[in-house]
Amino acid sequence: MTDTPDLVVLLYRADWTRLSLAAEVSRTVDLDLSALRSEPDVPRARSGNEWETATDLQGTETTRSTLLVAPGRRYRYQGEGFIDGSDGDRSWHEVEDDGAWVATLTTDPEGSGPPLRTLLRPTWLLTGFALEIGGPVTACGREALRVVATPQRSMSDSMRWREPRGREPLDRVEVIVDAELGILLRHEEIFQGQALSLTELVSVSFDPAQAGDDAQFQPPSGWAAAEKNAKPTPPDVLDSDLVKLTMVLMAGGLGALIKPSSSDPFGQATREEPGTAMPEDEPFPPGALPVSDEVLHLLHAGQDRQEPGIEATLHCWQDITALLSRAPDRVRRAGLGRIGSLVDAAGQRIPPEHTVTHLRIAGPDRYRIDEVAGPKARARPVTTVCDGERRWSIFADKVKVGAPAPPRGEIANLLDPSWLLEARLTGGTETVIGGRRGYRLAAAPDYPHRIPMYSPDEVVVDAELGVLLGWITHLGPRTLMRYELRDITAYSGEPGDFQPDLPPGIRVIEEDPDDGVTPGPGDTPSAMAGFFARQAAKDARSAVQGFVDFIRGGDARLPQDDADDLAGEDDEASPRLATIMCGEPRGTTGENMDLDRRLDPEIAAALAELPIMDLSDIPAAREIMLERRAAAAADAAPSPTVVRQDHLVPGLNGAPDVRVRHYRPIRAPGVLPCLYWIHGGGHVLGQVDQDDLVMDHIVDTVGCAAVSVEWRRAPEHPFPAPMDDCYAGLAWTHKHAAELNVDPQRIAVGGASSGGGSAAGLVLLARDRGEFPVCFQLLIYPMLDDRNATPASMALTDPRVWNRTSNLIGWRAYVGDAAGTDRVSPYAAPARAANLAGLPPAYLAVGDLDLFIDEDIEYAQRLQQAAVPTELHVYPGGSHAFETYAPGSALARRFVRDRDEALRRAFGF
């Protein structure tokens, strides 16, 4: 076993489902390098700065965990504060919280995959890396191979799920491969010449006795507890066929509404007229024979076999009617953007589409692609040319010029099919397409949610070049999509082939790196929604957008009339999401998050007067907060009709006392409802008195009492300390309700920004502990999700407002190196909560230029789906916390009025 072809076979055939082993797992991470790689543009603190742990997390961290694997996809993986496991049929996850273990049933398809996928399913090494064997070694007492994997430039660079956007590439990966089993015993990542991370199995034993104990693979808290916390899957909205529908609608641009071209400039070369019927399928040979070693080598080295290049014709057929016919009845009934009418008319209006594309490819960044026949979707260029230094995307009315990049996704996938080595392949009978010999394979995903959404279930691999001659996606018995490469010849590229012929006077636009790129196979339905809305014909845009949002699980921006229709006539008593859009809703793209262009004029004028706050220097940021508060206090005196009183209340479990401030109207004797308030500040800023004027106003206007809590701030006191303080204050308010003249059955919890996120987390904690009831949750632009993966969180970088950099620093200070991982508690980041059922009614308000808009809308949708009465307000032109620095603006007055009225309704006034 000394050459790469044997290594390819060894890695592909590694089968974790037959393993029986126990091991200790060690993982060491250089936190400095990890932060630098993930966020190269985030300012780093100076060495020696006492706040550097909040921004840089300098040094290394080593964690230990145990792994038990048994045949039949059974495993138990346990580390500090978590346990993951599967009995082969059901997967589960347990986390430790405040000394108690909380179990959750995993419903994601990923649950069927292995733990430590990097080690136990190493096929990821077979795409995007050049492999070099360093020689035999011994590891864990077993014969093994040392292998160096170096990232290489390839067509697969266009498949963006390989590396998260914005993350710097690794120098190389060094692994040790078990010479018999093919799994990795050791995995080390090298970045900028230094070790970034090291994961390895130590103390490995095979066929351990505990592998025969079924109890090892069941949640310690029991299946009943895990099932109780399972995140429900909304009916009809996660069907994989509907996801395929979305993708084909996106790719085809609703061919029924875009007339096909009548010209045929490439007719002789294609040997067919456009509009040719989709070829009939031949029955797949019976039996599921393992794929041969020869085919594995073809797939792995396909791109190398194409030197110096190829010229070919790409034919694509799409049956959109087959997809639309699968839309559920309630989609038709809802009339989401008139998608129901579109579905009903599909058979008459949308014939199968046939497109023809001429390809000349001399490398990942040297090519020419001409769309020569078929429907002309406006969002797809007629010609794309790349010469290794620039790329030109030529449309009918403009030219976009940008940096070199590989060809679009489906072309890259056909020419470099190494990504298929991460699927389960069977078959290999010979067939012929376009006069070329190939091997016919069936392809099934190892992990259904990871495979490209164009996912083929059948492919034909060219026996000489390793390209895909054929790619077929089925929807039940019907062929949904079919690609064929024909007329393949060798091509070396002539001078001028990769220079564009631009029409005189055409408009030339410098391309944004993320603009105009067709979503890759791993992009999510939300990305498709935004892309399709830009490319569909104007009269189809609302239909498709509404349908895509429906697929995502309910549209938070749905007009109430359509929402009523969607609920059905027999569902009058069910709670609904009340959505108020104070203007026309817009998506969260980089363009739409442009504050200079879209900010409300009154808000913009006030924002211009504020000093810019740099959260990389937390002490300086706190000083700026104090200055803002002093300026606000100078303009408004305390209310003469509200009395304030501070109390020190016992902290939880021996923690320091917690300061709370009680507000009460002077002229309202008797028992009152109470708002328990948590101030904001990104988890690192703010004090209880910053919201004195807000509490005065609410107490005066609503006619309630209020209690505001002074929580300990990160990074000095990371989670769970601040949440413990919030819970201690809530407990005190309930226990002292009589002396406070507060009705314990009408205590609402609220907060703004990070305080809104903590309010949502506190409500979850109160529900789970069952000690103190909460009647309502008032979530003002809440900070809910540590993952920072929404379009808005990516787009909003303006330093004048709470932006991506500040958000990353705030979360790192609050939850440390767990930020962005599954180790974060849902009480810290409520967006991670699997179960939202049983929570009190909710009110959420956010500006549409707020970094939190996407996570807030999604949380409101999930509350509604969990039968929690939810009211959502989105304010166009409003940035984060706009009502605090532009209180006199019309938008702020509307915002405050809506908030106060919601509280009055919640308290029964």
Side-chain angles (χ1 to χ4, degrees), residues 248-334:
V248 173
L249 287 174
M250 182 275 300
L254 279 184
L257 303 177
I258 306 173
K259 294 184 178 180
S261 169
S262 59
S263 62
D264 184 16
F266 199 47
Q268 291 184 341
T270 63
R271 303 176 193 161
E272 294 188 79
E273 293 293 328
T276 301
M278 185 184 300
E280 293 290 332
D281 278 350
E282 297 180 6
F284 200 85
L289 297 176
V291 65
S292 69
D293 293 355
E294 177 187 0
V295 172
L296 295 179
H297 305 330
L298 277 172
L299 292 170
H300 181 251
Q303 186 169 307
D304 296 336
R305 294 169 180 263
Q306 300 163 31
E307 296 292 345
I310 65 171
E311 184 169 8
T313 306
L314 172 61
H315 292 257
C316 175
W317 293 267
Q318 299 178 31
D319 188 348
I320 295 178
T321 302
L323 280 168
L324 288 174
S325 67
R326 291 297 305 274
D329 288 341
R330 69 190 190 119
V331 173
R332 304 169 188 267
R333 190 169 65 242

Side-chain angles (χ1 to χ4, degrees), residues 159-179:
M159 297 186 285
R160 294 190 173 187
W161 74 90
R162 303 299 308 165
E163 201 66 87
R165 190 171 301 170
R167 178 175 290 183
E168 295 292 307
L170 296 169
D171 297 351
R172 64 185 184 278
V173 179
E174 298 180 2
V175 300
I176 293 180
V177 185
D178 187 290

Side-chain angles (χ1 to χ4, degrees), residues 648-659 710 712 717 721 724-725 728-729:
L648 285 179
V649 308
L652 288 188
N653 304 318
D657 288 347
V658 179
R659 182 164 69 111
E710 180 82 274
R712 287 171 288 173
H717 304 285
D724 286 347
D725 292 348

Side-chain angles (χ1 to χ4, degrees), residues 598-616:
R598 292 198 49 241
L599 201 61
D600 178 275
E602 290 181 293
I603 307 297
L607 184 62
E609 301 299 321
L610 295 180
I612 289 180
M613 185 165 19
D614 180 3
L615 207 60
S616 64

